[in-house]
Amino acid sequence: MKPSLPSGFRDFAPDVLRKRNYIFDTIKKVFNTFGYDPIETPSLENLNTLTGKYGEEGDTLLYKVLNSGDFLRKAKNIDNYLRLIPEICDRGMRYDLTVPFARYVVMNQTAISFPFKRSQIQPVWRAEHTQRGRYREFYQCDADVIGSTSLVYEAELIQIYDTVFSHLKLPVVIKINNRKILGGVAEIAGIPDKMQLMATAIDKLDKIGLDGVKRELQRFEIDEPAQNIILSCLEISNLQDLAVKFAPSETGLKGIAEMQTVLERSQKASLTNVLEFEITLARGLSYYTGTILEVKARDIAYGSIGGGGRYDDLTGIFGLKGVSGVGISFGADRIYDVMEEAGLFADTAKTALRVLFLPMTEDAVDFCYETMTALRRKNIVCEMYPDAAKFQKQMKYANAREVPFVAIIGEDELAAGEITLKNMATGAQERIKTADLSTKIY
Amino acid sequence: MKPSLPSGFRDFAPDVLRKRNYIFDTIKKVFNTFGYDPIETPSLENLNTLTGKYGEEGDTLLYKVLNSGDFLRKAKNIDNYLRLIPEICDRGMRYDLTVPFARYVVMNQTAISFPFKRSQIQPVWRAEHTQRGRYREFYQCDADVIGSTSLVYEAELIQIYDTVFSHLKLPVVIKINNRKILGGVAEIAGIPDKMQLMATAIDKLDKIGLDGVKRELQRFEIDEPAQNIILSCLEISNLQDLAVKFAPSETGLKGIAEMQTVLERSQKASLTNVLEFEITLARGLSYYTGTILEVKARDIAYGSIGGGGRYDDLTGIFGLKGVSGVGISFGADRIYDVMEEAGLFADTAKTALRVLFLPMTEDAVDFCYETMTALRRKNIVCEMYPDAAKFQKQMKYANAREVPFVAIIGEDELAAGEITLKNMATGAQERIKTADLSTKIY
């Protein structure tokens, strides 16, 4: 049988994984410095924890796990696959980190001290149609604070974005909006009940232009005067000017006040990256109640590589009402693509291996092994070709491993307690004392 | 709805996860120093990659994932659940790391430079009956070398065990045997075709004693003279003495020669832990062709916390014959239990959080936030209570977070640019300059 991988799933070879781990490790370190405690939830949840939480389409994209043993025994709806699913599948695979986090908080509410700052980095699974750049297994990296309405956390999460991308040397623009500002626009346009539709339309401004937005608003049966008020708001980037327009909308003014607090705090923190108010930013919206965040690479055209915002009822679905939260997410796979395109992995991608020992005789094998043991005690990453094979074969292996130095040990070297050290980049070769090796290879 | 977890699956709270990550990070670091490149394989494999690889029982323990959409459309065996499975499930969840690794090697054989040293740390899933200490989702941590018969790697993997447990400060006994030595015993007892049964019997010596082993051998229809030869071998711990007994068995002598090479190399590497030849060690056996390894905690009675050995045909199941390999595995969940029992997490278990800021007034909130920003630039883990809540409430939170220091900022402190620093362990309290904070909390 010729083995293969299921479509939409990936192996990660060492060179790719090294780069991915560089991203994850950077994010983890920053989450830790900012006090976001890591948690993990299981890969499988009870199916009824998941169904109905991601909309109708989400339900079809959930991976369901077949019950063990004679799963048909209790099945009644043998002729209706949709009704059969809950009869033969008690569990489903994690679809995102948000619903499991909400379940976790509700189940552990008495043990948790609120505000609870948690981070979570785990894979999720979605039965999407596969296409370039879309996978059925991918990682989510989330940080959330739950149990506080303080705007300190908005500023803190923006700082986390800023710090991570500054460590990754990837310049980004962090875009910020507030649902209450969108609410203000809808109120002064006299269409508070169509706020969600309006947000969907103006979110597309980048792609379809002002005329396109106008057509969309028209399509949603928002009348001409309202259209004009909405479009006039889109041209304002100054919060003071917007406040004047928002005079009749309490919601809108509240949104501006929140925005100002967050921007001022962020300014004092002297961010490395650009933080930019963008009135069109909506990101689905239905979920968010306050601040909305999105991150894009500054110099490379690509979609969003991060996003988040404030929500007010994460745990309500599991019976715990009135707990406010705010969170952000990093799109690790997308960050990987952008960094690859920007050539930012140059240094980290290199193999950690510093030196490869090549024994020319069987007697040299033990000498190599002992020398390696000493180096490894110093945390120097080294290896040996495991037997006295032909020199050409050994060198071919050394080239394939992209090792910076090889240490050649033949009869002469063994007798003299020395090593022939070859710099693989320059080709230079020299005889050195074994004791000098660890300094020569750096 | 009251949320719950499926049986056999676990959430990991921050304090537990911190300890688990300490174990994983230690193992990863050592794998890296010894040149074992990390790979990852997907959580889902084609079901036919997995079925038939773990025996009949293994097949029933595999988690199968229901196909998307109308999975019943092509189903013919609606009345036979066993035949229905492959019709409605194309994919299954990773059951171990070995079969996916074999698949990986076969699929990437032209790109890989052999010997290929790989490490892999990922969760696996098994639909086991749940019981205390047995989970349906757990991590495996494997290191393997494939494509070389050199005994250098046996010594290297033993050194990895030794280094990891020495870093974890958990004293262990590393037990070693060789299938060829068990083969030798079976040959001189005249029962080479019953070697596997014999191994199963003597593997139980610890539990059932010599008489028990004799009864087991009897049960397998191994006759009295053969029984006596076998039992006489079990009393020998000296390799020279065993070599004398093995004179007529080429296999047995080969096993002893291999064992001697590995033991000698290990001795030169001056291991921290005990490496011990144990003739009864079999570990399932059918899989192993040379060295067999097992690790147990030295001072705590518990099962095996690691195991491995040499195999000769890992990739044969996928059509690539004659590739020898040797590998080891760490039982992370078991290591966790043993370390918890031995109280070895004392230091690492502590929260990383050093200082919690408590703003007494709303004005102090911004001051706290700015001071935190400066500390976090120095990678000092700090946090603040996000609003000027009642002092008692704030202190309750500080206690729950087990933070070593709190920094209290009231009106006076704010005016003076100072901080009241409280040591939570001693209760001592002092007024300090803000600039001195980072040195005072270490």
Side-chain angles (χ1 to χ4, degrees), chain A residues 34 158-174 266-276 298, chain B residues 373 377:
Chain A
F34 282 79
I158 289 167
Q159 253 194 302
I160 288 183
Y161 269 143
D162 184 61
T163 310
V164 165
F165 289 111
S166 135
H167 287 187
L168 292 176
K169 300 189 177 59
L170 174 65
V172 295
V173 179
I174 304 165
S266 296
Q267 196 170 19
K268 282 191 199 145
S270 38
L271 304 183
T272 314
N273 292 285
V274 181
L275 174 64
E276 204 172 77
R298 200 189 60 194
Chain B
T373 298
R377 290 248 157 83

Side-chain angles (χ1 to χ4, degrees), chain B residues 184-185 188 228-236 239-249 253 256:
Chain B
V185 175
I188 62 167
N228 290 336
I229 293 172
I230 294 165
L231 293 184
S232 73
C233 288
L234 300 191
E235 279 156 8
I236 301 174
L239 287 176
Q240 277 74 38
D241 296 348
L242 201 59
V244 174
K245 262 192 145 28
F246 277 0
S249 164
L253 291 173
I256 287 177

Side-chain angles (χ1 to χ4, degrees), chain B residues 42-63:
Chain B
S43 301
L44 301 190
E45 294 276 353
N46 288 321
L47 193 54
N48 60 14
T49 298
L50 303 175
T51 41
K53 308 304 188 299
Y54 307 106
E56 233 172 274
E57 201 206 348
D59 282 351
T60 70
L61 300 183
L62 283 170
Y63 280 115

Side-chain angles (χ1 to χ4, degrees), chain B residues 36-261:
Chain B
Y36 286 73
D37 275 333
I39 71 161
E40 281 182 14
T41 63
S43 301
L44 301 190
E45 294 276 353
N46 288 321
L47 193 54
N48 60 14
T49 298
L50 303 175
T51 41
K53 308 304 188 299
Y54 307 106
E56 233 172 274
E57 201 206 348
D59 282 351
T60 70
L61 300 183
L62 283 170
Y63 280 115
K64 293 103 184 169
V65 175
L66 200 63
N67 293 343
S68 297
D70 182 0
F71 58 90
L72 284 177
R73 200 160 37 96
K74 289 182 193 163
K76 292 189 188 101
N77 292 287
I78 285 291
D79 45 1
N80 181 321
Y81 81 94
L82 278 175
R83 282 199 209 134
L84 187 57
I85 291 173
E87 294 181 337
I88 63 174
C89 298
D90 291 340
R91 285 153 305 201
M93 294 177 78
R94 192 168 50 225
Y95 182 86
D96 75 353
L97 303 181
T98 307
V99 169
F101 174 49
R103 179 200 47 71
Y104 178 93
V105 169
V106 174
M107 282 179 68
N108 296 282
Q109 52 185 294
T110 55
I112 291 172
S113 306
F114 294 97
F116 179 45
K117 300 168 74 172
R118 90 86 170 79
S119 62
Q120 193 171 352
I121 301 183
Q122 291 191 280
V124 300
W125 298 274
R126 298 182 181 180
E128 304 262 9
H129 287 287
T130 51
Q131 58 187 59
R132 217 184 86 83
R134 184 180 283 182
Y135 302 106
R136 290 174 168 171
E137 174 176 46
F138 57 96
Y139 271 78
Q140 290 196 332
C141 312
D142 287 13
D144 291 80
V145 197
I146 194 160
S148 168
T149 54
S150 168
L151 294 170
V152 161
Y153 295 118
E154 270 84 343
E156 188 169 278
L157 292 166
I158 289 166
Q159 252 195 303
I160 288 182
Y161 270 142
D162 184 62
T163 309
V164 165
F165 288 109
S166 137
H167 286 187
L168 292 176
K169 298 189 178 57
L170 174 65
V172 295
V173 179
I174 305 164
K175 298 191 173 177
I176 181 168
N177 197 8
N178 193 304
R179 186 200 173 102
K180 299 188 181 94
I181 289 178
L182 290 168
V185 175
E187 279 183 21
I188 62 167
I191 51 146
D193 51 323
K194 288 193 172 172
M195 199 250 282
Q196 176 78 46
L197 290 172
M198 177 201 82
T200 317
I202 65 176
D203 199 18
K204 296 182 191 160
L205 178 63
D206 262 7
K207 287 180 196 150
I208 60 179
L210 276 175
D211 286 349
V213 171
K214 223 173 138 77
R215 274 194 302 275
E216 282 286 286
L217 294 171
Q218 187 80 50
R219 196 162 70 80
F220 296 141
E221 296 177 354
I222 293 170
D223 64 20
E224 184 93 22
Q227 283 173 31
N228 290 336
I229 293 172
I230 294 165
L231 293 184
S232 73
C233 288
L234 300 191
E235 279 156 8
I236 301 174
S237 60
N238 182 304
L239 287 176
Q240 277 74 38
D241 296 348
L242 201 59
V244 174
K245 262 192 145 28
F246 277 0
S249 164
E250 207 182 314
T251 310
L253 291 173
K254 184 94 196 301
I256 287 177
E258 287 186 11
M259 178 69 69
Q260 260 161 341
T261 305

Side-chain angles (χ1 to χ4, degrees), chain A residues 20-29 121 139 141 332:
Chain A
R20 283 171 66 86
N21 286 342
Y22 169 65
I23 297 173
F24 291 129
D25 290 346
T26 304
I27 295 172
K28 270 182 212 168
K29 214 170 126 187
I121 301 182
Y139 270 77
C141 312

